[in-house]
Amino acid sequence: MSGKNIRVKLVTEIRDSGRKEEMAMSEPGQYFSRGETEVLKFTEHPEEGEPIQTMVTVKPGHVSIKRTGGVDMRQVFQKQLETENLYHHTYGDFHMKTFTDQIEYRPLAEAKQGRLFISYQMTLNHEVTQRHRLTLLFEEESE
């Protein structure tokens, strides 16, 4: 499974009760593809805390995002389904529920720029529900 060097741009939009927060970052990464599975790997460097290794796995109708390092979590997205997991953070463990409204994916094979879009609702510790929109753009780094 040989990787391609890519440039990743991740934009996350969070809304709750009229408030909107947007975060964007750009990092170098790697892209792997095997059969119907595509994997993106990159390291996030938050302003505070330690770097986070992020691995995004895309299969037909199914996306999983695994983060290790500063945080430890795995989120699974399947259209119109709810998934649950634990989120390990410096400050303790949170219970997380994710309901995915929509997944759109355009692989690198089809366009110069690949794109993953997920819109979902996340409930933390059975209390706060926020709407999230995640857009991940990626393209090959030119030599």
Side-chain angles (χ1 to χ4, degrees):
M1 199 152 141
S2 67
K4 289 179 178 175
N5 289 331
I6 54 167
R7 165 64 54 180
V8 172
K9 185 177 181 212
L10 176 63
V11 179
T12 314
E13 200 181 288
I14 303 173
R15 292 166 186 264
D16 63 36
S17 56
R19 234 167 36 90
K20 185 177 140 180
E21 188 187 340
E22 192 176 289
M23 291 160 295
M25 50 153 260
S26 174
E27 300 281 359
Q30 284 185 304
Y31 170 86
F32 304 91
S33 139
R34 183 196 283 152
E36 290 201 310
T37 303
E38 298 184 37
V39 177
L40 300 154
K41 285 173 140 176
F42 55 96
T43 301
E44 296 178 51
H45 296 91
E47 285 173 28
E48 297 165 22
E50 42 184 310
I52 300 164
Q53 280 76 48
T54 301
M55 184 164 107
V56 181
T57 306
V58 182
K59 296 175 181 169
H62 180 284
V63 174
S64 81
I65 299 180
K66 187 177 182 332
R67 289 186 161 106
T68 52
V71 297
D72 186 6
M73 63 182 274
R74 179 169 178 263
Q75 244 176 319
V76 175
F77 303 94
Q78 283 176 282
K79 198 172 163 179
Q80 297 300 310
L81 282 180
E82 186 175 82
T83 57
E84 294 190 48
N85 63 351
L86 271 178
Y87 174 48
H88 303 285
H89 197 278
T90 330
Y91 310 113
D93 291 356
F94 299 95
H95 176 267
M96 201 161 77
K97 264 197 322 206
T98 304
F99 179 83
T100 305
D101 297 299
Q102 206 180 351
I103 299 176
E104 292 169 19
Y105 183 65
R106 180 178 68 213
L108 214 46
E110 284 175 18
K112 191 180 178 322
Q113 189 182 60
R115 177 179 181 269
L116 171 65
F117 171 79
I118 306 175
S119 106
Y120 61 99
Q121 297 166 52
M122 191 170 93
T123 306
L124 266 184
N125 282 344
H126 314 282
E127 295 160 18
V128 185
T129 298
Q130 297 175 319
R131 300 189 65 88
H132 289 241
R133 289 165 63 138
L134 178 152
T135 308
L136 185 63
L137 302 168
F138 54 100
E139 55 191 333
E140 263 190 86
E141 289 267 43
S142 43
E143 292 304 306

